[in-house]
C-alpha cells in the first residue's frame, strides 16, 4: 500500500543530500573556481527547507513506468534547482520584495541583491547541466527531450512568462480567464514539466504522456488555488513567509475574484479532474493521486 508521508519524507531527504553534494565549490567550478560567496548564497537559497514537491512528482510519474527512485533523482534535482532559483528571484525587491523565505532571511537579505541575482542565475544554469549529464539518462535523445521540457516549463512561455503576466496584472488588472492563464504559466508550468519529465524518463508513449499532462495541469491549478487560499487564511509563522501580500500588492487571484467559498469549491473540482485523468494507470499512479490531494489539503 502506498505511503505518501514516507515518500514525501524520503524524497525530501534524498534531494537535500544530493543538493548539498551538487552545490559544492569543486563541483560548481569550471574554467575557473566558483566563488565561495556565490556558492554559499546558492546553498542558502536551496538547502534546509522546502517540501521538494517537484522532485516528488518527477519520481512518482517515473514510477508508473517502473523507473526506480534513484534513477529519477538527477532530473528531480534539476527541476528543484530551477524552482529554488525562481524563489530567490521572486523575493527580490524588484519582484515580490520578501524578507523571509522558509522561516529565515531571503538570499538578498542574508547577502545582497547582486549576489541573490547571481545565485539564481547560477542555479538555473547548473540545472540544465544536470539534465545534460549522462548520469541523468544514458540515452542522449532522452536527455535532449528533458532539457527541452524544462526549458519550455521555465521560460517565456512558462514560469518566467507567468511572472511577467503577474506583474502586468498588478497595474492593468486581469479577468478570471487571464488569471488562470497567468497562474498556469507562473506556477503550473513547472509542475507540468515535473510530471512530464518523469514520464519522459520512463519512456512514456504519446497517449500516456498526454493523459499525464492533463493530470499535471489540473494539479498545477490545484496547487496555486490552495496557495492563494493560504495567503488569506494562514499565518506567516505557519507558512514560513509573509502572508496577505496578494491583496496588499494588488495581485490578481481567483480567491479575490470568487471569494474563499468559491475558490474552495473550484479547488475540489480541480482535484477531481486531476484524479479522473489517472484512471487508466491503476495503483501505479497512487503517488500522483496522493500528491494532488496533499496540494489541496496542505496547511503551509
Amino acid at each position: 500500500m502506498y505511503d505518501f508521508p514516507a515518500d514525501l519524507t524520503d524524497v525530501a531527504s534524498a534531494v537535500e543530500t544530493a543538493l548539498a553534494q551538487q552545490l559544492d565549490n569543486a563541483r560548481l567550478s569550471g574554467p575557473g573556481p566558483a566563488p565561495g560567496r556565490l556558492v554559499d548564497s546558492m546553498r542558502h537559497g536551496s538547502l534546509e527547507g522546502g517540501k521538494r514537491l517537484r522532485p516528488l512528482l518527477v519520481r512518482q510519474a517515473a514510477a508508473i513506468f517502473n523507473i526506480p527512485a534513484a534513477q529519477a533523482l538527477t532530473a528531480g534535482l534539476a527541476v528543484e534547482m530551477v524552482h529554488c532559483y525562481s524563489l530567490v528571484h521572486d523575493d527580490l525587491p524588484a519582484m515580490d520584495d520578501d524578507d523571509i523565505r522558509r522561516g529565515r532571511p531571503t538570499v538578498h537579505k542574508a547577502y545582497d541583491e547582486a549576489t541573490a541575482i547571481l545565485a539564481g542565475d547560477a542555479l538555473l544554469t547548473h540545472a540544465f547541466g544536470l539534465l545534460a549529464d549522462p548520469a541523468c539518462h544514458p540515452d542522449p535523445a532522452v536527455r535532449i527531450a528533458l532539457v527541452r521540457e524544462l526549458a519550455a516549463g521555465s521560460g517565456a512561455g512558462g514560469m518566467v512568462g507567468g511572472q511577467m503576466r503577474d506583474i502586468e496584472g498588478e497595474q492593468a488588472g486581469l479577468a478570471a480567464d487571464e488569471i488562470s492563464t497567468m497562474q498556469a504559466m507562473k506556477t503550473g508550468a513547472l509542475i507540468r514539466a515535473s510530471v512530464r519529465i518523469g514520464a519522459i524518463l520512463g519512456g512514456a508513449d504519446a497517449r500516456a504522456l498526454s493523459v499525464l499532462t492533463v493530470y499535471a495541469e489540473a494539479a498545477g491549478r490545484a496547487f496555486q488555488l490552495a496557495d492563494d487560499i493560504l495567503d488569506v487564511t494562514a499565518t506567516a509563522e505557519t507558512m514560513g513567509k509573509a502572508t496577505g501580500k496578494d491583496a496588499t500588492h494588488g495581485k490578481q487571484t481567483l480567491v479575490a475574484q470568487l471569494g474563499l467559498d468559491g475558490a474552495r469549491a473550484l479547488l475540489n473540482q480541480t482535484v477531481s479532474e486531476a484524479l479522473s485523468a489517472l484512471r487508466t494507470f491503476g495503483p501505479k499512479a497512487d503517488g500522483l493521486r496522493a500528491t494532488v490531494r496533499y496540494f489541496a489539503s496542505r496547511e503551509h
Side-chain angles (χ1 to χ4, degrees):
M1 185 175 178
Y2 177 73
D3 186 341
F4 177 77
D7 203 16
L8 183 63
T9 299
D10 184 65
V11 77
S13 175
V15 168
E16 183 75 15
T17 299
L19 273 178
Q21 293 170 348
Q22 290 292 333
L23 299 178
D24 171 80
N25 292 66
R27 283 182 180 266
L28 295 173
S29 293
R37 183 176 176 83
L38 176 61
V39 175
D40 289 345
S41 66
M42 294 168 70
R43 293 175 68 88
H44 183 91
S46 304
L47 300 178
E48 298 179 26
K51 304 174 196 68
R52 314 305 187 187
L53 295 172
R54 290 151 192 83
L56 177 66
L57 287 168
V58 173
R59 173 193 283 199
Q60 291 171 337
I64 291 174
F65 307 96
N66 301 315
I67 301 299
Q71 291 183 23
L73 180 58
T74 300
L77 289 180
V79 177
E80 187 67 10
M81 280 191 182
V82 170
H83 175 58
C84 291
Y85 123 75
S86 76
L87 300 181
V88 172
H89 280 194
D90 284 355
D91 291 336
L92 288 165
M95 301 287 278
D96 288 348
D97 194 15
D98 278 313
D99 295 343
I100 300 295
R101 169 71 66 179
R102 295 171 175 168
R104 59 181 183 165
T106 51
V107 176
H108 72 274
K109 283 294 181 180
Y111 293 86
D112 55 71
E113 289 183 38
T115 301
I117 291 169
L118 294 173
D121 292 346
L123 286 167
L124 174 63
T125 302
H126 285 284
F128 288 97
L130 284 174
L131 291 183
D133 194 312
C136 182
H137 196 281
D139 186 345
V142 172
R143 298 200 300 273
I144 289 170
L146 296 175
V147 167
R148 286 176 175 164
E149 193 64 45
L150 188 56
S154 57
M159 182 181 69
V160 174
Q163 187 68 269
M164 186 75 252
R165 286 178 179 269
D166 191 20
I167 292 169
E168 291 173 341
E170 292 179 25
Q171 304 299 321
L174 297 173
D177 62 330
E178 293 173 321
I179 294 172
S180 295
T181 298
M182 176 270 289
Q183 293 184 339
M185 295 169 66
K186 180 182 176 183
T187 301
L190 198 57
I191 289 174
R192 180 183 188 271
S194 299
V195 174
R196 285 173 58 89
I197 282 171
I200 291 167
L201 280 172
D205 61 23
R207 182 178 178 279
L209 188 59
S210 176
V211 170
L212 286 170
T213 300
V214 173
Y215 161 84
E217 290 175 351
R221 293 194 300 273
F223 183 93
Q224 186 60 59
L225 272 165
D227 207 55
D228 291 345
I229 290 168
L230 287 170
D231 187 69
V232 175
T233 61
T235 65
E237 290 75 19
T238 300
M239 294 293 286
K241 62 179 181 179
T243 57
K245 296 197 72 175
D246 289 343
T248 302
H249 286 196
K251 287 187 177 295
Q252 305 292 305
T253 70
L254 290 174
V255 174
Q257 293 265 344
L258 303 174
L260 274 174
D261 288 343
R264 285 173 173 143
L266 181 58
L267 175 58
N268 290 334
Q269 176 187 328
T270 304
V271 171
S272 294
E273 291 172 9
L275 295 174
S276 294
L278 298 174
R279 284 178 297 186
T280 60
F281 291 113
K284 286 187 174 183
D286 281 349
L288 293 178
R289 292 185 182 95
T291 296
V292 75
R293 291 189 180 108
Y294 171 79
F295 284 177
S297 64
R298 65 195 177 96
E299 297 178 355
H300 57 86

